[in-house]
Amino acid sequence: MARIQSVRGMNDILPEDSKQWQYLEDVVRRLLGRYGYQEIRFPILEQTELFKRSIGEVTDIVEKEMYTFDDRNGDSLTLRPEGTASCVRACEQNGLLHNQQQRLWYAGPMFRHERPQKGRLRQFHQIGVETFGMTGPDIDAELIALTARLWKELGIADALTLELNSIGSSESRRRYKAALLEYLSGFKDELDEDSLRRLDTNPLRILDSKNPRTQELLVQAPVLSDYLDEVSRQHFDGLCARLDTVGISYKINTRLVRGLDYYGLTVFEWTTEKLGAQGTVCAGGRYDGLVEQLGGKATPAVGFAMGIERLVLLLDTLNALPAAIGQADIYIVAMGEAAELAGLKLAEDIREAVPHLRVQSHCGGGSFKSQFKKADKSGARLAIVIGEDEIAKGEVAVKPLRDAQAQQQMVALSDVVNLLKND
Ligand code: ATP
Ligand code: MG
């Protein structure tokens, strides 16, 4: 019978990879804690209406990328394509936004029916951060400082560029859209099908077009920053000044827009040239209108999401992953029944007394040779070898596996724990 395969664009994350994911997730989680952010978890499935109303009907995501289906009751449900909408829904529903500020983060899978390729999957994973109740630009700057520190601590800062823009208040955008529309209407016969469609529905998205001819046309187009009103301008200047204060460099990209309708004022992306076409590893911005749009009280909000697959790929490409993540420290080799029992007891004693050591016991018997092969593969630094002779003398052999100069030594069984404690 034919083997059943996974769904296209939805990958298994095997132990070799999950080690790297865990390393990244641990670093991010610790950093978020240091900035005072708390985790929120919400379902993977939501009412379809939630995403339509927030992301916007005329966006790539809602038009063609959502996994939407009717459940057995006939309700239209959607696998979340992103986290912001769900996060707002969860906060509203549970009263987290009532007269309070929130600094939140979440992590997990997102689903978009895109064409799978390097750095672009149908089930991908994000770590997202959302803040509520702060009008900024102080909090905007905090979020960007947090990401900048993350790249530094991961050792990948040199490979990343911060692109920054303000897409202004909805009034600024309305005036700019009219100007852009007027300009682009003169080139209708040169626009591709996507851009033509967006001309009527969402002209700002044309700025984001990957089509080289469209990008050429845009060189002469009106520039969004010329249409910002005073409040929007002040917000943006305030953010830039704060980034200057903490020494974070940025590139202002007046064509940077986001593919989701709820953004206004600040938008930013961290991009790299090391990953080919899928170079954005983190993207976010301000969305002061979204809470109200979803039925809550008007609440200022700003957040971002980073793509875990792309970040792991980048860490790997730059050789920025620590060499020995998740490897054993000690491998216990035991031959014969009495030795195996002594090994079992010793492993538990070590785990009890020296909790930071990762101890792997050999299970399943076999010759010394085959056990040593496994010890070697485990990455362990030391093997503790217990044979019938050793047991009779109340001793074990402690054998360094990684250091060719170091000698094997015989240690009394009762001294092993102490030896490792002081190691
Ligand atoms: P892109 O322009 O690359 O399509 P996007 O604007 O659709 O990205 P967001 O919705 O802002 O992306 O998501 C934030 C981050 O999540 C992206 O910067 C990227 O790192 C990651 N991401 C988005 N879509 C995918 C995907 N299909 N596969 C893998 N990672 C993704
Ligand atoms: Mg996209």
Side-chain angles (χ1 to χ4, degrees), residues 37 44 141-142 152 158 195 220 222 253 293 299 324 337 340 416:
Y37 287 66
I44 285 169
E142 174 178 297
K152 198 166 130 195
D158 288 348
S195 292
Q220 301 291 327
N253 173 359
Q293 204 173 307
T299 306
E337 205 169 316
E340 190 206 306
V416 176

Side-chain angles (χ1 to χ4, degrees), residues 331-343:
Y331 196 96
I332 298 189
V333 169
M335 194 64 169
E337 205 169 316
E340 190 206 306
L341 283 178

Side-chain angles (χ1 to χ4, degrees), residues 212-262:
R213 179 62 195 137
T214 311
Q215 281 301 329
E216 261 174 59
L217 290 174
L218 287 169
V219 173
Q220 301 291 327
V223 179
L224 216 163
S225 52
D226 294 337
Y227 289 77
L228 294 188
D229 54 32
E230 190 49 31
V231 176
S232 305
R233 162 109 347 251
Q234 272 177 17
H235 189 109
F236 192 60
D237 290 346
L239 172 58
C240 293
R242 283 169 174 83
L243 295 180
D244 294 339
T245 301
V246 287
I248 295 171
S249 42
Y250 49 89
K251 206 170 86 191
I252 295 177
N253 173 359
T254 53
R255 278 188 228 159
L256 181 67
V257 289
R258 315 274 13 269
L260 304 90
D261 276 356
Y262 48 64

Side-chain angles (χ1 to χ4, degrees), residues 146 304 417:
L146 187 159
F304 65 80
V417 167

Side-chain angles (χ1 to χ4, degrees), residues 112 114 119-121 124 126 258 260 280-283 305 307 310:
R112 296 184 196 174
E114 305 196 72
R120 196 173 288 289
L121 298 155
F124 63 99
Q126 289 183 335
R258 315 274 13 269
L260 304 90
T280 304
V281 298
C282 174
R310 289 185 197 179

Side-chain angles (χ1 to χ4, degrees), residues 78-92:
T78 294
L79 283 168
R80 62 182 188 196
E82 57 111 40
T84 306
S86 311
C87 186
V88 169
R89 199 252 334 116
C91 285
E92 252 310 290

Side-chain angles (χ1 to χ4, degrees), residues 97-115:
L97 302 183
H98 186 67
N99 290 334
Q100 16 183 346
Q101 298 182 338
Q102 294 290 349
R103 286 177 165 86
L104 303 172
W105 67 271
Y106 53 84
M110 307 294 162
F111 303 85
R112 296 184 196 174
H113 195 274
E114 305 196 72
R115 191 169 69 78

